[in-house]
Amino acid sequence: MLGLVFINVMINYLDRSNLSVAAASLSKDLELSTVQMGLIFSAFGWSYALLQIPGGLIADRFGPRILYAFCLITWSITTLLQGFARGFVGLFGLRLATGAFEAPCYPINNRIVTSWFPNQERASAIALYVSGQFIGLAFFTPVLVTIQYYFGWQGLFITTGLIGLLWGFIWYFFYRDPLEHKRVNAEELDYIEKGGGLISGKKDNPAQPSIWKWVNIKQVFSNRTLWGVYIGQFSLNAMLWFFLTWFPTYLVKYRGFNFLKSGYLASIPFLAACAGLLISGFLSDYLIRKGKSIGVARKTPIIIGLIISISIVGANYSNDAASIIFFMALAFFGAGMGLISWVFVSILSPKHLIGLTGGVFNFMGNLASIVVPIVIGFLVKGGDFKPALVFIGVIALIGACSYIFLVGKIEQAPATNEEVKSKNPLEV
């Protein structure tokens, strides 16, 4: 099941980043300015971020099997159609649609991992499926560059769209929740549940209160620790969205790299981010098994990672290709360490609001997908990319401070009075 989610994430990020590979050629063919490209880069983020809370609510309501298949098929269709865009408005609209259909995916991912894995294995599981975005981009970015080189940016969008469309049907055929999987026995279900896993669809659970209420949304927005995590996620996503949008353009247009060569060099930071993520996930679970507190085990790798990611500014003081890629890889390695942060959703959220909390968490983090591409588009319009890298470095510093000073004791948010009443109606 984790392998299926891993492939979902790979396809998800290929369809987010294909525009960055196509950007230099596409902007020339469609006569788009850097400001317009910044807006197009951000279009995905507008709908994706704004629909995170509804996406989280939907993830709490509908099963992963049907909902994920729907998302895969619909966002793949909009990806394919981007190959037929003829101007700013059409491309902007299709990127909005892609973001909208991808919106429920990470809340679904978190719900799947919470259903299939006990607490002591969850950070490793999250690290493994999130690594799909970096492994996919590392190994397939050169492939995407080659496809565009021979078939144009139109062929790039059509190819990636067709791959996702096919995978949507494969997902529906193979995925099952723990209670529905024929190879899962009672002992495994007991192991998951005793370890804090939430078995989806368990029939003997008491009725849960409705999540479609203002009091639930208020709860996940009023917790100080959650706010610290939200700010930290914004910082991590700022680094991520630089690499998903402007990074190839930075190498080709502002550093003079050969287009085909840039495809291979661009894969190095993604491999570094994957290494940081996996090291962080397994280290965090190792610390838990060694008896360290949840706060120390979960926060320490993230704080270290955010501090390391400030090193992106070093690329401003480098002129040779090796040094530039080194600082980029080091910074993305640090960001990768921080991306086990999804583990806090299942730790901190009320049990009946995991999807909603995941939606808010992803909404706050993905505001960076709106802000960062647009701000960079304005910062670099004069032809100098140095202010953009300083901007990313400052955001990373803010994220580290957020985890140090705002994220306090790590404990599950208390149940609301409504939830308590629903479970104990005779005690009211």
Side-chain angles (χ1 to χ4, degrees):
M1 298 301 104
L2 187 61
L4 293 174
V5 176
F6 175 90
I7 296 173
N8 288 356
V9 171
M10 278 204 307
I11 294 172
N12 187 301
Y13 272 80
L14 287 176
D15 290 342
R16 296 187 195 194
S17 66
N18 51 15
L19 178 63
S20 69
V21 174
S25 176
L26 179 149
S27 61
K28 182 180 179 180
D29 288 351
L30 301 184
E31 299 180 346
L32 302 172
S33 68
T34 59
V35 173
Q36 286 178 311
M37 281 307 302
L39 289 168
I40 290 171
F41 278 139
S42 75
F44 175 98
W46 284 99
S47 54
Y48 185 82
L50 292 174
L51 291 174
Q52 281 307 297
I53 296 175
L57 291 168
I58 291 169
D60 278 329
R61 179 67 183 271
F62 297 100
R65 185 186 178 204
I66 294 175
L67 184 57
Y68 226 140
F70 172 81
C71 291
L72 276 159
I73 291 168
T74 51
W75 95 56
S76 296
I77 290 172
T78 60
T79 297
L80 188 153
L81 291 175
Q82 287 168 51
F84 301 94
R86 291 294 176 265
F88 172 81
V89 174
L91 190 57
F92 187 86
L94 287 168
R95 294 299 291 183
L96 281 174
T98 305
F101 290 126
E102 286 195 20
C105 293
Y106 263 74
I108 300 172
N109 292 342
N110 191 62
R111 188 152 194 87
I112 291 169
V113 170
T114 305
S115 297
W116 275 97
F117 292 88
N119 287 329
Q120 70 270 20
E121 298 177 9
R122 203 167 294 154
S124 302
I126 289 171
L128 283 168
Y129 84 67
V130 174
S131 72
Q133 67 195 50
F134 300 123
I135 292 175
L137 293 172
F139 288 102
F140 288 109
T141 293
V143 176
L144 296 181
V145 169
T146 304
I147 291 171
Q148 178 176 317
Y149 184 80
Y150 288 103
F151 301 102
W153 57 267
Q154 297 92 340
L156 175 63
F157 286 118
I158 292 169
T159 301
T160 50
L162 288 173
I163 290 170
L165 193 61
L166 174 63
W167 181 255
F169 292 100
I170 295 173
W171 164 268
Y172 181 80
F173 183 79
F174 283 105
Y175 180 79
R176 297 292 186 277
D177 280 332
L179 283 178
E180 298 170 348
H181 202 292
K182 294 179 180 179
R183 296 178 61 185
V184 176
N185 57 32
E187 184 179 4
E188 184 174 359
L189 292 173
D190 187 60
Y191 171 75
I192 294 171
E193 191 167 32
K194 284 184 177 178
L198 301 180
I199 307 299
S200 296
K202 186 166 183 183
K203 294 180 174 55
D204 58 351
N205 274 346
Q208 295 291 346
S210 172
I211 58 173
W212 303 82
K213 294 188 177 181
W214 171 249
V215 65
N216 294 326
I217 296 175
K218 181 180 178 182
Q219 186 179 15
V220 297
F221 270 111
S222 60
N223 184 290
R224 171 184 161 169
T225 299
L226 282 173
W227 266 104
V229 173
Y230 297 155
I231 295 170
Q233 191 67 6
F234 179 93
S235 301
L236 292 166
N237 275 4
M239 183 71 67
L240 175 63
W241 276 94
F242 161 69
F243 280 95
L244 290 178
T245 55
W246 282 103
F247 180 50
T249 301
Y250 167 72
L251 294 181
V252 174
K253 185 175 180 179
Y254 295 89
R255 288 299 196 168
F257 284 37
N258 172 270
F259 179 70
L260 276 177
K261 182 180 178 182
S262 72
Y264 291 93
L265 292 177
S267 69
I268 296 173
F270 289 109
L271 288 173
C274 180
L277 175 63
L278 293 174
I279 289 170
S280 180
F282 286 103
L283 173 63
S284 182
D285 279 350
Y286 173 79
L287 292 174
I288 289 288
R289 290 193 295 271
K290 287 294 181 180
K292 300 296 183 182
S293 70
I294 291 179
V296 170
R298 301 312 194 200
K299 287 196 294 184
T300 301
I302 297 175
I303 293 170
I304 292 172
L306 280 163
I307 292 172
I308 291 173
S309 67
I310 299 171
S311 63
I312 194 171
V313 179
N316 283 342
Y317 305 96
S318 306
N319 292 315
D320 62 290
S323 297
I324 293 168
I325 295 300
F326 168 76
F327 282 111
M328 291 289 161
L330 181 61
F332 214 14
F333 172 86
M337 287 188 68
L339 286 174
I340 64 165
S341 49
W342 267 97
V343 74
F344 285 110
V345 175
S346 55
I347 294 173
L348 297 173
S349 69
K351 286 189 175 182
H352 69 302
L353 298 178
I354 288 177
L356 174 60
T357 308
V360 174
F361 172 81
N362 220 18
F363 163 74
M364 300 300 291
N366 276 283
L367 289 176
S369 66
I370 301 171
V371 174
V372 169
I374 293 176
V375 171
I376 290 178
F378 278 97
L379 289 175
V380 305
K381 67 179 180 179
D384 185 3
F385 214 94
K386 290 180 179 179
L389 297 187
V390 172
F391 168 66
I392 299 298
V394 169
I395 293 177
L397 176 61
I398 292 171
C401 291
S402 177
Y403 268 98
I404 294 169
F405 298 111
L406 280 182
V407 180
K409 185 177 180 181
I410 304 301
E411 58 186 3
Q412 191 167 60
T416 61
N417 289 335
E418 181 182 354
E419 185 184 8
V420 172
K421 290 177 183 179
S422 69
K423 292 184 177 182
N424 303 284
L426 297 180
E427 295 179 14
V428 176

